[in-house]
Amino acid sequence: MNETEVPCLLSHDDEAYTYNHKVNRLSAIQEHFMILRAIENGVPEKRIATTLNVDVECIRRKADLLDGICPEVAVLLKDKKTTAGAFREIKRAKPMRQIEIAELMVSSHNYSVDYSKCLIAATPPEQLID
């Protein structure tokens, strides 16, 4: 660009504080809705996958994230760091049990796959989907 001088910001940052601390991360549900919106606006799945450097099947799984999840659970977990694996486990339960599981996850601040597997394991068979 043939510039000889450019404005710069200098930071003598403290190791205890990094700028990555201020990065906003998307929840799995937010990512799901963004992918759905892109697809609805005509962006092909292949282009989304190429842009995000993932395979098309990954995009399809993210687009289908809430299939089988009752709306109340989506509302409870929409801004939480719940993983796609946890949602796969929650889908194994009937809607009322899904809500109970989501409430337990929120109250314990634990959104991991392992915790959701434990909650499913503790679920009576009649509250599970075949």
Side-chain angles (χ1 to χ4, degrees):
M1 296 176 62
N2 296 325
E3 295 287 330
T4 57
E5 292 184 22
V6 292
C8 294
L9 293 175
L10 297 179
S11 173
H12 304 284
D13 76 20
D14 180 354
E15 287 297 317
Y17 176 84
T18 65
Y19 294 101
N20 286 337
H21 176 72
K22 296 297 180 187
V23 172
N24 289 328
R25 308 253 186 251
L26 287 178
S27 71
I29 292 179
Q30 291 167 328
E31 186 178 27
H32 160 78
F33 284 123
M34 288 179 71
I35 288 172
L36 282 184
R37 181 171 289 146
I39 292 169
E40 288 170 3
N41 288 330
V43 180
E45 290 175 339
K46 183 164 178 52
R47 183 170 180 196
I48 297 169
T50 302
T51 302
L52 298 176
N53 197 27
V54 295
D55 63 356
V56 175
E57 188 55 39
C58 180
I59 296 301
R60 289 186 183 133
R61 280 193 308 270
K62 290 178 182 195
D64 296 338
L65 180 73
L66 295 182
D67 291 353
I69 297 289
C70 70
E72 293 85 357
V73 171
V75 169
L76 284 168
L77 300 177
K78 70 181 176 188
D79 58 348
K80 307 296 189 253
K81 291 184 178 184
T82 312
T83 64
F87 281 109
R88 279 192 298 276
E89 291 299 319
I90 294 170
K91 288 179 186 184
R92 296 176 51 203
K94 291 183 178 177
M96 287 307 294
R97 180 61 179 160
Q98 286 183 9
I99 295 168
E100 291 172 1
I101 289 170
E103 288 172 343
L104 288 167
M105 292 173 90
V106 170
S107 66
S108 67
H109 302 289
N110 188 344
Y111 309 102
S112 68
V113 177
D114 290 338
Y115 187 55
S116 60
K117 283 181 179 180
C118 288
L119 293 172
I120 288 295
T123 300
E126 62 272 5
Q127 293 181 355
L128 295 173
I129 294 174
D130 295 330

